[in-house]
Structure formats: C-alpha cells, structure tokens
Amino acid sequence: MTTLEDRRPLRVPEEPPATRRPPRRSVPGKGRTRNVLFALVFLYLIVPPLAALFFSLSAKQYDGLFPQDWTLSHWTGIFDDERLIAAIRRSAVLALGTVALVTLLVLPPLYWAYVRNPKLRTIMLVLALLPFSLPFVVMAFGIDRVAEQVAFLEGYSGTGLMVLIGHVALCFAFYLWPVDAAMSAAGVNRLHEAAQASGAGPVTTLVRCIIPNIMPGLVSGSILVFAISWGEYSIAKIMTRSQYEIVPIWQVNLTPVNGTSDPRGVAVMSVFTFVLFLVVSLIAAIKGTSRVSLDETHPTAAKES
Amino acid sequence: MTIQLEREEAGRETTGRPSLGGRRLRSFVGDWLPAVPFLVIIGGLLVGAAIWLVQASFRNPLSGEWNLDAWQQAFAAGPLYRGAIVNSLVIALTTATICTVVGTPLAWFIHHLAGRQRAFAVALTNTGANFVGISLAQTFVATLGVAGFATKILSDLGIAWRDGLYQMHGLVALFCYFTLPLYVLLVLPAMSAVKPTWWEAVQVSSGGRWTYWRRVGLPVLFPFILSGWVLTFAWSIGQFSVLDALLSSQGEQFITTRIGGLINAGVVFGDQSQLAAAYSVLLMGISLIALAAYQLLSWRPLQRLKES
C-alpha cells in the first residue's frame, strides 16, 4: 500500500482521521488472497478429471501433458464393449432400485413421524447416524454376515439383491436429511390437517398433498442416493467378491495390475462419472438456491454430498 | 433394541389415555405400522451388523470358542498389524489437518460469494466431495501416476515424483481431493455465525484484520472448525475403495484394506474373519468416538446458529 501511495506525490492530503473511521472494506473476504486460493483449489479439482480425459483421448503411449495423437476411438469403443454395457446397465438398475427402495422405506414412516408419532423421527435420525459411524467396508462385512444368518435371505448371499439391500442401508441417511428438512419447511402438519378435513386418507394425503410440497427435498435426496450408489465400490466388492460387476468393479477389474486391461476405457468411465456428478450437482445447486439446498439442510448431510 | 425402545415409548404414550386394551393395541399398531419395513430392514441390518461384528471379534469362527486372539494379533508389531493402524491414523490426521487449514478460509470466501458464483462453487465442491472411490483413483493415476499429467510437469520442474502417488504423501494428495470439499460443505453453514457488524465494531475499536480473526472470528468458528476436523478425520480413516484400487495388496497397508484383504484371504488361507472383525470393531470404535465428539462439539453452537 505504501508503494502505491508513493507513486502519487500529487495526491490531495487526506483529511485528519475522523473519530469513527469508515470501514476499509465492508467485510474481510475479498481480494487477492481469495482469488489465489480459488484458482489453486479450482485447478486442484479440475486437473485430475482433465488428465483422465487427455489420457482417454490419446492414441499412443501417454506420458504426461497433452496427447501426441488424438483419438475418439476409446469413447466410441465403449458402445461396442458388451461387458461394459452390462456393467453400466447393472449400475443404473442398482442405483435406480436403491432410490426407489429408499423412497418406499423412508418416506411413509417419516411422514407418519410428523403427523402422528414424533418418536419415530428420533429413532430414524439416530439410525441415520449409524452409516456414518461405521465405515462402508465394515458395514458391508457386517451386513453380509448378518444376512447369511437370516433364513429369508438364504441363497441370496453374494447376489445383486444383497448389494441392493446393502446400498439401501448405507444410503438412506442421505435421503432422510434433505427430505426431513423439506418436510419441516413445508409445514407437513398443517397440510395433513387440511387434507384430513377435506376427507383424504393418509395415503392420498401423502401422494397428492405432501409429496408435491416437498419436491425439492425429494429431488436432492434422490440425486444424492443415486450418485452414491453409482460410485459405491466396497459393498459390491466385499459382498460378492467382485463377482457382481457394476461400473466401479469393472473399472478395477480392467486396471493393468489385474491382468486383462483397458486403462483408457477405464479413464472414459472415470471422466463420465465426474461429468455426471458435476451436472447433477449443478442442477441441485441451481434448484437448491431457491428452496432447500444440500449444504444447509443438515450439518452432516453434507458428509458425502 | 429398537423394538424394545418402541414398546416402552409407545406404552408410555398410550397409558395416559383412558382406553380399552384393544383400543390401545390399535393405537400402538397405528403409531408404528408404517415404520415396520424401515425398522426391520434398515434398523435390523445396521444394528445387527454392529452386534455381529463385536461378538465375532471375540470368537473363533471355526470352533466357536471365545478368546482374545484376534485383539492381541491386531496390535502385534509389524507392518501388517500395528503398522496398518499407524498408517491409517497418520493419513487421516494429516488429511483432516490440511483440510482444516485450507478449507476454513475457502469456506469463508465461498460464503461471501453470491448468486450464480456461489451456486457454481457449491456445485463444484459437491462434485469433489462425491467423486470418491474408483473413478477418483483412476483420475489420479492419470494425473500423478508414473506417466501422469502433473508428474510430467513436476519432472520438468526438477521434482522427482515417479511412484510418489503410491506413498503416503501421494495418498494424502488424493485424499484431500474429496475431503477438502467435504470439509468446506460441513463448515459452510457455520460461516454465517460471524456477523459483518462485528468487523465494523472491531474497526471502531481501532482493531485490524489480525485482531478481528484472533479475537472474534476464530473463537466464534472454533467449535465448527473442530467438529469439521473430527468428521473429516473419521471419513478419511474409513476410506477403502481408493486405497484398494491403488494399492491392491502392495505398498502401504491400512486398516480398511487389511479388512478387505482378510475377508478375501479366507478362501485360500483359512477363515480370517475373526481378525477382520477385530479390525472392523476397532475402526467402528474410532468412528463412534469421532461422531460422538462431533455431536457434542457442534450441538450447542448449531442450536445457537438456528436461533440467530
């Protein structure tokens, strides 16, 4: 600052400082430090997916920076890879199934907790902390062994169904929080009373009155659950010993250390996953600025959001 | 456990009402019926899994006899045992600390963005926090791997990196990719606890930037920063997929990869599930303590934040 002033010798002398100095800047939090930090973190977040993109676009040996020869063949090639198509289909079904099952399991009791039985909400919120206190690999191991002891699930051990149940048990918290926040914001109790007074039963009330009013929360929750289920690796790895080949398992199975390798195809899927998450997050952020936003619904909701 | 709790609480609820037994039962069923699938599938599995792991860690899986073998073995000296625990602690502590130091100012700056800029920053942060697991490991191989994008830049700058990605500092660089955004998302709501008027107040009392942060900003934010650190630590120590994808049984060992390895080893080397369960319970214990600390630290400040 002194150098700046030194360069302007003709500047009008400043008034003597008033007793109450006006703030130099409205709030500290703008300026060069901010821009440098933003730039560094932006680079840190954007370079790895870009590097994977360059790698997936390089025709020959890739040894850093920009590819020598560009090709799109690895990107177009994924449509011919039946094994990968099958993995994508499995992943998509699994993620959609997780969203559907989580919705069916969580939405009715949560609604009920608001209108009839508040203790239920406490129990649900406490249970929602469990997936956080238990690392996913630990949970996968435990759920797998418990399921072996349940007669009803006998014979399903190591199948896609078990992976689905595992995903549901781990992901529901990420659905519960935004939906819970949306419900309390929408005033579910009043809506319920109004609907009851008009002669609607609980199911009609939930479907036609509550759900339209908590849509932003439902969308945020579903998107989060979908994203987590899509990228989740440890459950399928531990429960099926990598036999149920969803996209993350496929990616690991095809890395060079594991024999049959297609590193560029793997990079294609990594870039695709990043873009998928970015698009989904952008939609959620734009939608969320008006109503419920992911980062402010619950302190721990952001854990994997 | 939950069912017991339900009964007690439902009982307390209904006894107050002057009603017949049948009516009470109906009211009880009405209170809890929509929650049965949830409580059975999710509650049963999660609680059951935790209980199963605790008992399995004290029990020989073949003979069924109770012992402490796995717990003694878990802490035995050697890179596969105590070394794995130390590695896990080191990587989680380093990652959480770096995230706190970089993430706190970052969250502060993001908090002061507005409109579309803020939406974009939050979206990118969200993406980073979500982008964990195999895809992340692969992009880092393309970035800091032996023939990676940034490895090339580093070697042009005269820094030898080569297989640095597979050592502790490389793994920390990778872990920060998803924990830094996570930390930012965690502490972002807390930034509104620091009121702009306080900055004016500090200036009126002829205090500078340093005084402001030292005496006002950091003390107010401290509980949130600490709870963010704790949760980031717990999240890092439980990571399995990136480590599994990168290391595949070579290089440094961590608690999570040990669990994965022991479960798979069962096929060839006999049932190792007792030791796997012991490591799982150890990890569970660390995470539970961290989570309890988080709740304890953040509850009161959060209430205050909601009130204001």
Side-chain angles (χ1 to χ4, degrees), chain A residues 223-240:
Chain A
I223 283 175
L224 262 178
V225 169
F226 184 90
I228 294 162
S229 179
W230 177 273
E232 174 49 35
Y233 164 76
S234 33
I235 303 275
K237 155 105 186 181
I238 299 291
M239 283 191 172
T240 73

mmCIF file of all heavy atoms in Angstrom, chain A residues 223-240:
data_model
loop_
_atom_site.group_PDB
_atom_site.id
_atom_site.type_symbol
_atom_site.label_atom_id
_atom_site.label_comp_id
_atom_site.label_asym_id
_atom_site.label_seq_id
_atom_site.Cartn_x
_atom_site.Cartn_y
_atom_site.Cartn_z
ATOM 1 N N ILE A 223 -31.151 -37.582 -5.834
ATOM 2 C CA ILE A 223 -29.926 -37.375 -6.606
ATOM 3 C C ILE A 223 -28.709 -37.844 -5.820
ATOM 4 O O ILE A 223 -27.832 -38.548 -6.335
ATOM 5 C CB ILE A 223 -29.790 -35.879 -6.974
ATOM 6 C CG1 ILE A 223 -30.730 -35.549 -8.118
ATOM 7 C CG2 ILE A 223 -28.367 -35.524 -7.324
ATOM 8 C CD1 ILE A 223 -30.752 -34.088 -8.478
ATOM 9 N N LEU A 224 -28.691 -37.488 -4.535
ATOM 10 C CA LEU A 224 -27.572 -37.902 -3.690
ATOM 11 C C LEU A 224 -27.480 -39.413 -3.610
ATOM 12 O O LEU A 224 -26.403 -39.993 -3.765
ATOM 13 C CB LEU A 224 -27.764 -37.347 -2.281
ATOM 14 C CG LEU A 224 -27.027 -36.084 -1.950
ATOM 15 C CD1 LEU A 224 -27.358 -35.651 -0.551
ATOM 16 C CD2 LEU A 224 -25.546 -36.352 -2.071
ATOM 17 N N VAL A 225 -28.621 -40.054 -3.355
ATOM 18 C CA VAL A 225 -28.625 -41.510 -3.227
ATOM 19 C C VAL A 225 -28.173 -42.151 -4.533
ATOM 20 O O VAL A 225 -27.361 -43.081 -4.538
ATOM 21 C CB VAL A 225 -30.030 -42.019 -2.817
ATOM 22 C CG1 VAL A 225 -30.116 -43.518 -2.940
ATOM 23 C CG2 VAL A 225 -30.346 -41.584 -1.404
ATOM 24 N N PHE A 226 -28.665 -41.628 -5.648
ATOM 25 C CA PHE A 226 -28.276 -42.177 -6.952
ATOM 26 C C PHE A 226 -26.759 -42.072 -7.137
ATOM 27 O O PHE A 226 -26.098 -43.035 -7.505
ATOM 28 C CB PHE A 226 -29.000 -41.438 -8.079
ATOM 29 C CG PHE A 226 -28.726 -42.012 -9.443
ATOM 30 C CD1 PHE A 226 -29.547 -43.005 -9.953
ATOM 31 C CD2 PHE A 226 -27.653 -41.581 -10.193
ATOM 32 C CE1 PHE A 226 -29.294 -43.560 -11.210
ATOM 33 C CE2 PHE A 226 -27.389 -42.124 -11.441
ATOM 34 C CZ PHE A 226 -28.213 -43.111 -11.947
ATOM 35 N N ALA A 227 -26.225 -40.878 -6.849
ATOM 36 C CA ALA A 227 -24.793 -40.657 -7.063
ATOM 37 C C ALA A 227 -23.952 -41.578 -6.179
ATOM 38 O O ALA A 227 -22.984 -42.171 -6.635
ATOM 39 C CB ALA A 227 -24.442 -39.200 -6.795
ATOM 40 N N ILE A 228 -24.340 -41.700 -4.919
ATOM 41 C CA ILE A 228 -23.555 -42.525 -4.005
ATOM 42 C C ILE A 228 -23.612 -43.983 -4.434
ATOM 43 O O ILE A 228 -22.605 -44.685 -4.475
ATOM 44 C CB ILE A 228 -24.046 -42.358 -2.561
ATOM 45 C CG1 ILE A 228 -23.783 -40.933 -2.101
ATOM 46 C CG2 ILE A 228 -23.376 -43.350 -1.638
ATOM 47 C CD1 ILE A 228 -24.593 -40.543 -0.903
ATOM 48 N N SER A 229 -24.823 -44.431 -4.792
ATOM 49 C CA SER A 229 -24.980 -45.821 -5.196
ATOM 50 C C SER A 229 -24.194 -46.098 -6.477
ATOM 51 O O SER A 229 -23.575 -47.148 -6.621
ATOM 52 C CB SER A 229 -26.467 -46.122 -5.402
ATOM 53 O OG SER A 229 -26.642 -47.441 -5.817
ATOM 54 N N TRP A 230 -24.184 -45.126 -7.383
ATOM 55 C CA TRP A 230 -23.467 -45.302 -8.656
ATOM 56 C C TRP A 230 -21.975 -45.477 -8.427
ATOM 57 O O TRP A 230 -21.319 -46.279 -9.082
ATOM 58 C CB TRP A 230 -23.724 -44.089 -9.551
ATOM 59 C CG TRP A 230 -22.978 -44.132 -10.854
ATOM 60 C CD1 TRP A 230 -21.720 -43.694 -11.086
ATOM 61 C CD2 TRP A 230 -23.453 -44.659 -12.088
ATOM 62 N NE1 TRP A 230 -21.371 -43.913 -12.399
ATOM 63 C CE2 TRP A 230 -22.422 -44.506 -13.033
ATOM 64 C CE3 TRP A 230 -24.659 -45.249 -12.506
ATOM 65 C CZ2 TRP A 230 -22.551 -44.912 -14.363
ATOM 66 C CZ3 TRP A 230 -24.777 -45.649 -13.831
ATOM 67 C CH2 TRP A 230 -23.739 -45.483 -14.735
ATOM 68 N N GLY A 231 -21.411 -44.746 -7.494
ATOM 69 C CA GLY A 231 -19.967 -44.790 -7.295
ATOM 70 C C GLY A 231 -19.509 -45.755 -6.219
ATOM 71 O O GLY A 231 -18.315 -45.931 -6.016
ATOM 72 N N GLU A 232 -20.438 -46.381 -5.526
ATOM 73 C CA GLU A 232 -20.070 -47.205 -4.373
ATOM 74 C C GLU A 232 -19.430 -48.521 -4.803
ATOM 75 O O GLU A 232 -19.965 -49.253 -5.616
ATOM 76 C CB GLU A 232 -21.320 -47.449 -3.526
ATOM 77 C CG GLU A 232 -21.162 -48.393 -2.372
ATOM 78 C CD GLU A 232 -19.962 -48.113 -1.486
ATOM 79 O OE1 GLU A 232 -19.633 -46.935 -1.298
ATOM 80 O OE2 GLU A 232 -19.368 -49.077 -1.005
ATOM 81 N N TYR A 233 -18.288 -48.795 -4.201
ATOM 82 C CA TYR A 233 -17.487 -49.945 -4.628
ATOM 83 C C TYR A 233 -17.391 -51.006 -3.539
ATOM 84 O O TYR A 233 -17.521 -52.208 -3.810
ATOM 85 C CB TYR A 233 -16.099 -49.440 -5.010
ATOM 86 C CG TYR A 233 -15.010 -50.476 -5.123
ATOM 87 C CD1 TYR A 233 -14.954 -51.317 -6.225
ATOM 88 C CD2 TYR A 233 -14.041 -50.587 -4.131
ATOM 89 C CE1 TYR A 233 -13.947 -52.255 -6.341
ATOM 90 C CE2 TYR A 233 -13.027 -51.524 -4.251
ATOM 91 C CZ TYR A 233 -12.973 -52.353 -5.350
ATOM 92 O OH TYR A 233 -11.972 -53.268 -5.461
ATOM 93 N N SER A 234 -17.209 -50.557 -2.280
ATOM 94 C CA SER A 234 -16.847 -51.519 -1.232
ATOM 95 C C SER A 234 -17.929 -52.566 -0.983
ATOM 96 O O SER A 234 -17.609 -53.732 -0.748
ATOM 97 C CB SER A 234 -16.496 -50.784 0.059
ATOM 98 O OG SER A 234 -17.235 -49.623 0.217
ATOM 99 N N ILE A 235 -19.211 -52.182 -1.055
ATOM 100 C CA ILE A 235 -20.291 -53.127 -0.791
ATOM 101 C C ILE A 235 -20.228 -54.297 -1.772
ATOM 102 O O ILE A 235 -20.198 -55.463 -1.371
ATOM 103 C CB ILE A 235 -21.663 -52.436 -0.941
ATOM 104 C CG1 ILE A 235 -21.761 -51.251 -0.019
ATOM 105 C CG2 ILE A 235 -22.791 -53.432 -0.695
ATOM 106 C CD1 ILE A 235 -22.196 -51.566 1.342
ATOM 107 N N ALA A 236 -20.188 -53.947 -3.075
ATOM 108 C CA ALA A 236 -20.189 -54.994 -4.086
ATOM 109 C C ALA A 236 -18.913 -55.830 -3.991
ATOM 110 O O ALA A 236 -18.944 -57.051 -4.149
ATOM 111 C CB ALA A 236 -20.319 -54.380 -5.475
ATOM 112 N N LYS A 237 -17.806 -55.172 -3.694
ATOM 113 C CA LYS A 237 -16.531 -55.894 -3.595
ATOM 114 C C LYS A 237 -16.553 -56.900 -2.440
ATOM 115 O O LYS A 237 -16.202 -58.064 -2.610
ATOM 116 C CB LYS A 237 -15.398 -54.873 -3.410
ATOM 117 C CG LYS A 237 -14.175 -55.410 -2.727
ATOM 118 C CD LYS A 237 -13.045 -55.646 -3.689
ATOM 119 C CE LYS A 237 -11.880 -56.318 -2.977
ATOM 120 N NZ LYS A 237 -10.746 -56.547 -3.818
ATOM 121 N N ILE A 238 -16.970 -56.437 -1.266
ATOM 122 C CA ILE A 238 -16.933 -57.304 -0.093
ATOM 123 C C ILE A 238 -18.023 -58.375 -0.180
ATOM 124 O O ILE A 238 -17.784 -59.546 0.106
ATOM 125 C CB ILE A 238 -17.123 -56.468 1.194
ATOM 126 C CG1 ILE A 238 -15.998 -55.448 1.349
ATOM 127 C CG2 ILE A 238 -17.212 -57.354 2.424
ATOM 128 C CD1 ILE A 238 -14.660 -56.020 1.643
ATOM 129 N N MET A 239 -19.229 -57.975 -0.589
ATOM 130 C CA MET A 239 -20.348 -58.914 -0.521
ATOM 131 C C MET A 239 -20.296 -59.977 -1.605
ATOM 132 O O MET A 239 -20.727 -61.099 -1.398
ATOM 133 C CB MET A 239 -21.661 -58.156 -0.628
ATOM 134 C CG MET A 239 -22.035 -57.455 0.657
ATOM 135 S SD MET A 239 -23.716 -56.889 0.530
ATOM 136 C CE MET A 239 -23.974 -56.329 2.191
ATOM 137 N N THR A 240 -19.835 -59.592 -2.803
ATOM 138 C CA THR A 240 -19.873 -60.571 -3.890
ATOM 139 C C THR A 240 -18.471 -60.950 -4.346
ATOM 140 O O THR A 240 -18.311 -61.603 -5.363
ATOM 141 C CB THR A 240 -20.640 -60.014 -5.099
ATOM 142 O OG1 THR A 240 -19.835 -59.021 -5.726
ATOM 143 C CG2 THR A 240 -21.963 -59.403 -4.683
#
